[in-house]
């Protein structure tokens, strides 16, 4: 029987990111993934939002992804939301297919001490006061202190933990496919009464990606090539001789969220915790950010630095973020309809979002830059992401994100006032900063005298000339 400190069920984007976060904190972690390799059929998710790029930048690997994708200075909501003036180094989206994202992420994870158990599958578990016994399909058993379900919307871990998954039933279903046409189709989007049909170019137009509304809601049934051709003819008048179909699936606008992200020593992240329509491109990004929030907390509990009630803050912080994404995905789904009333509403909202303040507000929301964890009253920075400011430390130029590469807590002191913060796992740095402090969706804020930044990049304490409250923040987040 193999023993690990953490076992992750599922080696997709969320599971891989969580494994990397735990490995950076020297946790003995294993990922159980049913696929024998990281290869993925179909493009799946197609891009990264600003905050996801920032967390990858915090770990020093964002350039790997930027080199493989294409940046776009927009984020979509109703029509186009230009986010190029938001205060971030990554004020754009990155067009990058999930299969490419996973491959790059897996390459990074392979450089870290992570045990990848490929071609194997979690089928259940039993947990006690001291740990979890994980059951695999091949009869093997793993023992671990904690199990994290990153095993998708039909999560075996979530079901075995008896965690409810409430939400909205589907009102529409779509066929989605990738194939080769014999004749050139009409590229682009076509709005219909219930939603959007689309044909997009793949491989410079040699292949096509297709999204088609179905006449009635279908769930849980694998579509076939005949159905795809029939829907193409029904919508476009031709199936364009589509052949060599390498991916054919369906999705719906169902939206569900786990009632709890934690049950004892079992936690959920990514699609295991929340599912929704892919419109808006939030799913992959939400899961990666779940992992970055959970990873350092789980590592501290495993190490004994923190008591396990720290893990309750994972649900407290990420459940509201997931709920907001579900709400806005439902709104985008409704706005995608092509009837006259929805067209009028969409045009009216486009006029509103042409104004700077609404545009910046919703741009920050869609890109994940507006996330604010409730740590109580205080400076506007408290609970928000740390801006990636240019700093001078010991006479050398650096950036705030470069100081987060080790995934350790960071105390940045800007006035060289003595601060009581002696801990081995805490970086304490005296820095100079001449930049304005500007927050997405908020604007310019008063520069602090010091900040305590969690490993996930969120500000846990703000000094305003004194160290009042610092010790309480350190106890809350980084001490037993």
């Amino acid at each position: 029987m193999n023993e690990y400190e953490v076992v992750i069920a599922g080696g997709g984007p969320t599971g891989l990111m969580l494994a990397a976060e735990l490995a950076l904190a020297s946790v003995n972690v294993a990922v159980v993934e049913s696929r024998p390799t990281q290869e993925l059929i179909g493009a799946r998710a197609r891009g990264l939002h600003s905050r996801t790029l920032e967390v990858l930048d915090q770990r020093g690997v964002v350039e790997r992804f930027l080199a493989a994708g294409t940046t776009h200075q927009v984020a979509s909501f109703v029509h186009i939301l230009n986010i190029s003036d938001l205060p971030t180094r990554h004020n754009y989206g990155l067009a990058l297919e999930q299969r490419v994202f996973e491959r790059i992420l897996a390459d990074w994870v392979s450089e870290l001490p992570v045990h990848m158990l490929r071609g194997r599958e979690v089928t259940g578990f039993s947990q006690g006061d001291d740990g979890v016994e994980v059951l695999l399909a091949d009869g093997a058993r793993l023992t671990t202190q904690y199990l994290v379900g990153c095993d998708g919307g039909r999560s075996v871990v979530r079901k075995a933990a008896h965690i409810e998954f409430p939400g909205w039933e589907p009102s529409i279903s779509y066929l989605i496919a990738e194939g080769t046409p014999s004749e050139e189709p009409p590229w682009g989007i076509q709005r219909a009464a219930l939603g959007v049909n689309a044909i997009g170019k793949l491989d410079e137009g040699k292949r096509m990606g297709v999204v088609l509304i179905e006449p009635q809601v279908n769930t849980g049934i694998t579509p076939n090539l005949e159905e795809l051709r029939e829907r193409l003819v029904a919508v476009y008048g031709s199936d364009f001789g589509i052949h060599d179909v390498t991916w054919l699936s369906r999705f719906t606008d169902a939206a569900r969220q786990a009632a709890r992200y934690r049950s004892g020593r079992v936690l959920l992240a990514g699609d295991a915790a929340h599912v929704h329509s892919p419109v808006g491109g939030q799913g992959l990004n939400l899961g990666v950010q779940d992992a970055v929030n959970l990873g350092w907390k789980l590592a501290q509990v495993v190490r004994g630095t923190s008591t396990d009630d720290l893990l309750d803050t994972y649900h407290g912080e990420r459940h509201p973020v997931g709920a907001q994404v579900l709400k806005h995905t439902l709104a985008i789904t409704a706005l995608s309809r092509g009837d006259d009333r929805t067209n009028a509403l969409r045009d009216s909202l486009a006029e509103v979002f042409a104004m700077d303040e609404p545009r910046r507000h919703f741009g920050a929301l869609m890109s994940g830059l507006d996330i604010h964890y409730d740590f109580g009253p205080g400076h506007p920075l408290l609970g928000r992401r740390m801006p990636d400011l240019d700093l001078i430390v010991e006479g050398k130029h650096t950036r705030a994100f470069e100081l987060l590469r080790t995934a350790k807590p960071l105390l940045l002191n800007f006035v060289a006032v003595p601060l009581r913060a002696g801990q081995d796992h805490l970086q304490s740095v005296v820095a100079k900063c001449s930049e304005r402090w500007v927050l997405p969706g908020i604007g310019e804020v008063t520069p602090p005298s010091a900040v305590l930044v969690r490993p996930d990049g969120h500000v846990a304490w703000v000094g305003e000339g004194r160290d009042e409250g610092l010790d309480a923040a350190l106890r809350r987040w980084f001490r037993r």
Side-chain angles (χ1 to χ4, degrees):
M1 187 178 292
N2 294 315
E3 296 184 7
Y4 303 97
E5 291 174 319
V6 176
V7 169
I8 299 169
T14 303
L16 289 173
M17 191 70 201
L18 179 58
E21 292 290 292
L22 292 168
L24 289 171
S26 300
V27 172
N28 181 15
V29 56
V31 177
V32 181
E33 168 55 40
S34 60
R35 288 174 290 170
T37 71
Q38 203 63 44
E39 291 303 309
L40 190 65
I41 298 174
R44 309 298 171 98
R46 291 183 179 272
L48 306 181
H49 286 299
S50 298
R51 184 54 189 159
T52 303
L53 294 169
E54 284 194 339
V55 299
L56 294 169
D57 198 348
Q58 288 172 186
R59 298 301 180 251
V61 295
V62 72
E63 294 298 333
R64 304 186 188 195
F65 300 93
L66 293 175
T70 304
T71 60
H72 297 276
Q73 294 296 325
V74 296
S76 65
F77 188 78
V78 177
H79 287 308
I80 297 296
L81 291 178
N82 190 325
I83 62 170
S84 61
D85 59 349
L86 292 187
T88 170
R89 295 182 194 273
H90 303 290
N91 50 5
Y92 45 75
L94 183 72
L96 185 69
E97 296 177 352
Q98 180 177 335
R99 56 188 166 195
V100 180
F101 175 78
E102 282 196 24
R103 185 174 68 244
I104 299 170
L105 193 59
D107 287 345
W108 176 40
V109 169
S110 72
E111 300 166 12
L112 303 171
V114 173
H115 303 275
M116 293 296 301
L117 308 182
R118 294 194 177 276
R120 307 178 78 178
E121 192 170 355
V122 172
T123 56
F125 66 85
S126 60
Q127 65 168 314
D129 293 338
D130 299 324
V132 183
E133 185 175 79
V134 183
L135 311 178
L136 303 188
D138 60 8
R141 297 169 184 263
L142 311 176
T143 60
T144 181
Q145 293 183 38
Y146 291 90
L147 169 65
V148 185
C150 300
D151 51 342
R154 297 181 175 86
S155 172
V156 169
V157 173
R158 185 190 65 242
K159 293 173 182 176
H162 304 293
I163 295 175
E164 294 181 354
F165 203 42
W168 291 268
E169 295 293 334
S171 66
I172 189 171
S173 64
Y174 290 84
L175 293 179
I176 186 168
E178 295 178 4
T180 303
S182 297
E183 58 187 84
E184 186 168 5
W187 308 107
I189 290 174
Q190 178 193 96
R191 291 195 184 276
L194 294 177
V196 170
N197 297 297
I199 300 179
K201 292 182 179 181
L202 302 175
D203 298 335
E204 300 180 342
K206 296 176 183 176
R207 289 173 57 77
M208 58 193 265
V210 178
V211 177
L212 299 167
I213 302 167
E214 296 193 277
Q216 66 278 324
V217 177
N218 285 309
T219 60
I221 305 169
T222 302
N224 57 49
L225 182 57
E226 183 179 353
E227 288 178 274
L228 173 64
R229 287 174 171 159
E230 287 177 354
R231 287 309 300 157
L232 280 167
V233 171
V235 174
Y236 292 98
S238 172
D239 64 11
F240 310 108
I242 189 169
H243 61 282
D244 189 22
V245 175
T246 55
W247 182 41
L248 176 57
S249 185
R250 63 167 39 100
F251 67 88
T252 75
D253 64 344
R256 296 185 176 277
Q257 185 176 25
R260 296 171 289 142
Y261 282 15
R262 180 189 181 194
S263 177
R265 291 179 173 272
V266 177
L267 300 108
L268 304 175
D271 288 353
H274 38 70
V275 295
H276 52 81
S277 167
V279 296
Q282 298 290 316
L284 181 151
N285 294 269
L286 186 60
V288 168
Q289 293 167 39
D290 284 347
V292 175
N293 182 284
L294 176 60
W296 68 274
K297 296 173 181 177
L298 193 50
Q300 288 192 174
V301 171
V302 167
R303 287 197 307 258
T305 304
S306 299
T307 54
D308 91 334
D309 58 358
L310 179 64
L311 296 178
D312 292 332
T313 69
Y314 168 61
H315 172 94
E317 292 173 5
R318 294 304 297 173
H319 194 275
V321 174
Q324 184 183 59
V325 168
L326 260 65
K327 181 179 73 173
H328 285 279
T329 301
L330 288 171
I332 297 170
T333 301
L335 286 166
S336 70
R337 295 170 183 156
D339 60 278
D340 290 343
R341 289 175 175 82
T342 306
N343 289 338
L345 173 60
R346 191 167 50 250
D347 290 344
S348 296
L349 286 175
E351 292 178 13
V352 174
F353 293 155
M355 304 174 190
D356 282 345
E357 188 171 344
R359 175 181 59 79
R360 290 175 182 140
H361 171 80
F362 279 95
L365 183 153
M366 293 298 295
S367 57
L369 296 171
D370 73 328
I371 294 171
H372 178 214
Y373 301 139
D374 185 6
F375 298 163
H379 192 283
L381 275 166
L382 190 63
R384 300 184 188 276
R385 53 176 275 290
M386 174 68 190
D388 186 24
L389 300 174
D390 289 311
L391 306 174
I392 297 177
V393 176
E394 296 181 352
K396 296 180 180 179
H397 291 274
T398 187
R399 297 190 284 126
F401 284 6
E402 290 178 352
L403 299 175
L404 291 170
R405 298 285 159 82
T406 58
K408 291 182 178 180
L410 171 66
L411 180 61
L412 276 173
N413 186 351
F414 297 105
V415 295
V417 174
L419 298 173
R420 296 168 294 171
Q423 296 193 93
D424 291 341
H425 63 287
L426 175 71
Q427 301 176 85
S428 184
V429 175
V430 176
K432 293 181 180 180
C433 178
S434 59
E435 281 194 73
R436 297 160 55 232
W437 291 65
V438 184
L439 303 180
I442 301 295
E444 188 169 358
V445 299
T446 304
S449 60
V451 289
L452 177 64
V453 186
R454 306 190 318 184
D456 61 356
H458 281 259
V459 177
W461 170 83
V462 180
E464 299 181 77
R466 299 178 297 172
D467 65 358
E468 181 180 356
L470 174 58
D471 197 55
L474 289 168
R475 286 197 306 272
R476 179 180 184 183
W477 299 112
F478 308 120
R479 292 179 186 160
R480 287 188 66 84

